[in-house]
Amino acid sequence: MTVTEPEQRDYVGTRMRRTEDPRLLAGRGQYIDDLSVPRMLEAAVLRSPMAHARIVSIDVSKALALPGVFDVLTGADLVKVAGLQPVIWRPIPDQRIAQMHALAADRVRWVGQAVAAVAAVNRYVAEDALELIEVEYEPLPVVADLDAALAEDAPRLYDDWPDNVSGSLTYSVGDIEQAFAEADVVVGETFQHARALGCPIEPRGCIATWDSFADTLEVWLSGQAPNLARDLLGEVFDLPVHRIRVRTPDLGGGFGNKFDFYGEEVMAAVLSRRTGRPVKLLEDRADSFVATSHSRDQRLVYEMALRSDGTILGLRGTAYGVLGGALGTVGIGPPWASVANCMGPYKIPNIDVTITGVMTNRAPYGSYRGWGVPKANIVHERLVELAAKKLGMDRNEVRKKNFPAPEEFPFFTGVAFTYDSGRYADCLDLAVSKVEELGWLQRQAEARREGRSVGIGYSFHIEPSAYGPSRILNLVGLQHSGFDEEVVRIDSTGKVTVYSGQINMGQGTHTIYAQLAADGLGVPLDDVTVVTGDTDSCPYTGYGTGGSRAATLGGAAIIRGTARLKAKVLRIASHLLECSPDDLEIVSGRIGVKGVPERSVTMRDVGDAAYRRLNGRLPEDETATLEETDVYDPENMATSYGMSALLLEVDRETGSVKLLDYLQAHDCGTVINPMLVDGQLAGGAAQALGGALLEELVYDENGQLRTTSFMDYLLPTAMEIPNFHFYHQETAAPHIPGGMKGVGEAGTIAGVSLVASAIDDALHDLDVTVTRFPVTPPRLLELIRSASASDEA
């Protein structure tokens, strides 16, 4: 398929500041807590202090008697008017789906599960009322971690289940037994990634207004997927979606956490319906740690078979998803994605890989930037490096030996995805050349002469983006669509408005959409306005803003829509100028005859002819108005990729790690705005490095979460993050108009295995292999001491 690109590229490919920034930097942003509507109440949620218990009784009488309290909602009340929380990702046939209501009615299965909600005149009164609610619990045995959940005599979270396994699915390709039997080398390891949280600077929140007379529900939501939220609210309340309106204000970060659909939206709606007043429900940071989706928690048990020359013959293993007490919106989707992507960028002819989802008394598992792909990256990159070490080969030569060549694309991985295009070896070579240019090898050599442990790590990643082809997503378990719809309109004054179902949460969507529309129509960037965040006025987008879709799908739809709209503009202008459309060009909003600039009309003239003074100005065969709608559902996903390198130093006495420098060579197809792409890569890399070294949600044996503030859940700061260097190559996605590939999650994918690679290199003399993440100082110190003791023995 031929890639469609705007004829002009005055803005696409230009390093531009975000058009959204001036308003935000001036303090004029409007976030969910800035909003207030007339007669609004505020709500707070009572959460279970126990990891597993039956609810014997709830007495809300004292809370209801508190002055200023309008309503107290319990699970017994809610189940009468609201259905179960939807689970939209179901990739495993016959999987046991552990659904929940927004409020627990008879049993709690994790610390922080909501059991009651209060609506009051303000948050202070609501919080006071929570303390007056009396709940009697009957404690039940706790299944606190994966091993406890898989034990033969493990207590069951669901009485009608035979065990705690929600489901298991195996993908097999080729002859895995023969591959391992013929292998010259087999390497295997068990990797563990701890539980983590996206930690957007702004916690979640909503304002729900239920009009009982009109039977309509209006919701302000700090979310990434307003159309999906509307659909799921309709599902929960059995309410037609035309009676539901969802709007999103500015978002203070999302990172996937705000993609998921939460019980708080349902609670607020029910409270509004019962009180007859709007209800605002915001989570505070303490709520966020137990109520916002957790992620990353997996055990990965894999082995790889290779020939002596480094050719990979086979990969087999099992990924365990450590799920919570119920399934979240995306179910087992992220752990499934870790299996679907575990072969990474390599040609592996024989595969046998299994995903197993296990329920525990932890908070539900959900979306976080990168989904399951960072865990997949741990598998293929760690095993490739272990194999290179065992074979005595250069680790990057092993990588290159197993890359598909550019002419082998599109390349089917054998499990789920077909990679569209790529120049993997070129990208790797670019990164290695920059390591040399930046002098890392010399810095490492000098440090080692001084007795310091400095290492260089590498990691190659792939990022499935442009989620995605609706029918394919449905086939692999998504109970929703993946297309995107955009509307481009020129008004009577010649100004352009783009209406999108995508939302803006800091990634620069409004800027890149304006760039694409401006180039597509030949108008100044300042003439383009982008409108998002309202299901009533904006078009439908299937999956929401996630999966690196905004540029690839929304951008593609804008390119196609503006091409058709431009053709109509030229036809109207040709009528006004009495010439052929083929003789015209548009430059900075003025349509003129090529080579005769004085013969021209403005975009305003065309708008006037299309909307106001039609007689004699609008061709008889043209319809009035200037608007195009485009629905883009791609035939395939688009796969971006990159090679990252990291320079770090290990203190062998303390186990601490200092990050010295970082680079990534990256290919996301056509780069619309280099500055925004670099920003996406930098932000993702910072999160990945935090996950590699610092961030961990720790549960004890009683299922109590011990890391419930930023004093003990550590985030990286500017003091820990190194300088970033980014280098781009552009290999267009052949099936995406414009050639774009996604970039929103690219920075997060390679960081964990990258840190492990660099630490292994820094401690090469000890033959250390990092397998557990985050690599905290105590854990690394234990590895160092164990390796040193082995050497001495």
Side-chain angles (χ1 to χ4, degrees), residues 182-185 306-311 313 387 391-393 398 401:
E182 294 177 354
D184 298 314
V185 168
L306 304 94
R307 291 199 185 102
S308 58
D309 66 355
T311 301
L313 298 176
L391 290 165
M393 295 179 64
V398 175
K401 189 174 189 63

Side-chain angles (χ1 to χ4, degrees), residues 568-692:
K568 184 173 182 179
V569 167
L570 291 174
R571 290 195 301 270
I572 296 172
S574 71
H575 182 76
L576 295 174
L577 293 168
E578 299 180 344
C579 66
S580 168
D582 296 336
D583 295 332
L584 298 176
E585 62 181 353
I586 307 177
V587 178
S588 297
R590 180 170 287 274
I591 308 100
V593 177
K594 298 172 185 175
V596 190
E598 61 273 14
R599 287 195 62 199
S600 64
V601 292
T602 65
M603 196 67 77
R604 185 184 187 113
D605 295 328
V606 173
D608 187 83
Y611 285 91
R612 301 185 64 195
R613 285 171 276 272
L614 282 62
N615 188 38
R617 295 164 59 80
L618 184 70
E620 294 292 337
D621 57 351
E622 293 287 355
T623 57
T625 76
L626 293 165
E627 180 174 306
E628 283 289 340
T629 298
D630 193 86
V631 178
Y632 182 63
D633 200 347
E635 63 190 64
N636 184 22
M637 299 175 70
T639 307
S640 62
Y641 53 92
M643 179 67 167
S644 300
L646 177 68
L647 183 71
L648 60 71
E649 181 172 356
V650 175
D651 186 328
R652 299 193 183 203
E653 298 298 318
T654 65
S656 63
V657 173
K658 183 178 181 180
L659 305 177
L660 303 176
D661 216 350
Y662 172 101
L663 69 82
Q664 184 176 133
H666 189 260
D667 192 330
C668 61
T670 301
V671 175
I672 300 172
N673 187 321
M675 187 179 78
L676 298 188
V677 169
D678 288 353
Q680 289 284 286
L681 294 174
Q687 289 180 304
L689 295 172

Side-chain angles (χ1 to χ4, degrees), residues 140-156:
L140 294 172
V142 174
V143 178
D145 58 28
L146 180 63
D147 290 325
L150 291 175
E152 286 189 19
D153 59 348
R156 287 172 296 174

Side-chain angles (χ1 to χ4, degrees), residues 200 234 346 355 617 723:
Y346 305 116
I355 174 60
R617 295 164 59 80
N723 289 326

